[in-house]
Amino acid sequence: MANSKKLVPITLLTGYLGAGKTTLINHVLNNQEGYKCAVIVNDIGEVNIDAELIQKGGTVTQKDDNLVPLSNGCICCTLKVDLMNQITELIKTGKFDYILIEASGICEPLPIAQSISVLEGKADRKYPPICRLDNIVTVVDALRMATEFGCGDNLLKDNIDEEDIENLLIQQIEFCSTIILNKVDKVDSEQLGRVKAMIKVLQPKARIIEASFGKVAVSDILDTGVYDFEEAVTSAGWAKAFEEAGKEDSEEHEHHHHHHDDDDDHDEHEHHHHEHGEHCHCGYCHNDEEGEAEEYGIGTFVYRRRRPFNKDRLQEWVGNWPKSVIRCKGMLWFSDDPENAFVFEQAGVQITATGSGKWFAAAPEKERKRLLKQYPEIAADWDEKYGDREIKLVFIGQKMDKQAICDSLDKCLDD
């Protein structure tokens, strides 16, 4: 398309520390295939080691011209404005027809993509579009994932750096369009199959490209046209599980009243007195067409209840988190705070419950009637006692004992 040719394409490269991002960048720069590619490198700390490594590779000779190190911060938070300004300046020079951004190993890709969307003219109309985000590439270390995520036994560690890596690895896999599964030469076929199955459950739609030493076709990294923001946001495994468990959620999951647009008519949570007879609702076990997920015991299920959690009981349960669960996300509420909805999120060993506004049931009657008229899906699933309040959690893991997890969570419900 003529319009897209005028916009400078950008590839965002993410992946945890040591996965092989710098090696991949060097490979791309040595095989640019006619592109004039600028590189923005973000590394935490005063000394930008990755930038130095890339320069030593002989692919970038003028530090101030082609390579722009962003230090003393992270481009997904403190350096957002710096990143946007740097992209703008690089494009203004007219010297480059492609920008490659290497995010720090501790960056979440979503906030960076949102920053770039401003320069795409999508987030704020006062910004004319000057670029387009073409591809978000996550580099995954096949060996590390096989050993640390293989059976879940090594997920719970005390080391803070490991916590960051586990949490971010999951988010980097969930929000991307291409996955470079690097160092495949260091794992056996069983380990490789298990890792690929886990990745496909976490992110079913991303392309998985196997590599050793970061050697991949440049056409898989640059100017691919594969990135789509809405698809990246909604294609994570936990989001797909919600779709399978109920009606497709057409609104952003962060807004709790929209989050319940996908509520279904399952008998299991229609009335609170049925709950001890409930069974886990597994809507996503057959997630992989090739059966790899089932072969390796990797699966997803949705835990849904109407009654609230007792905060102290849930806190105690979280303190003994099941090692087989790698990812959990959803909505919940507490008996001592019936007005407010919370987003519950676990990735690796990081676990949070964040306030997400009030339930419709907590609104004054006049406002509640207006909202229910506006959102008929919620009205259709309205519970006589609890209204729209409910617990809905997606679990992703390997060899999970679904019944045991649900039974133990049931004991955390308020009496």
Side-chain angles (χ1 to χ4, degrees), residues 118-137:
V118 174
L119 301 178
E120 291 180 294
K122 294 176 180 177
D124 192 332
R125 291 181 180 247
K126 71 181 180 184
Y127 288 93
I130 59 172
C131 62
R132 63 178 177 84
L133 188 49
D134 174 79
N135 197 5
I136 295 183
V137 179

Side-chain angles (χ1 to χ4, degrees), residues 363-383:
E365 186 178 358
K366 187 176 179 182
E367 174 72 1
R368 185 168 66 244
K369 286 181 178 179
R370 184 189 68 80
L371 288 169
L372 289 176
K373 190 174 181 181
Q374 187 178 351
Y375 297 97
E377 300 92 341
I378 296 177
D381 194 50
W382 194 261
D383 183 85

Side-chain angles (χ1 to χ4, degrees), residues 294-313:
E294 286 189 13
E295 179 184 348
Y296 297 105
I298 297 166
T300 300
F301 69 89
V302 182
Y303 174 86
R304 309 185 70 171
R305 302 290 187 263
R306 283 287 189 181
R307 281 164 56 200
F309 279 129
N310 175 289
K311 196 175 286 181
D312 293 336
R313 291 177 196 164

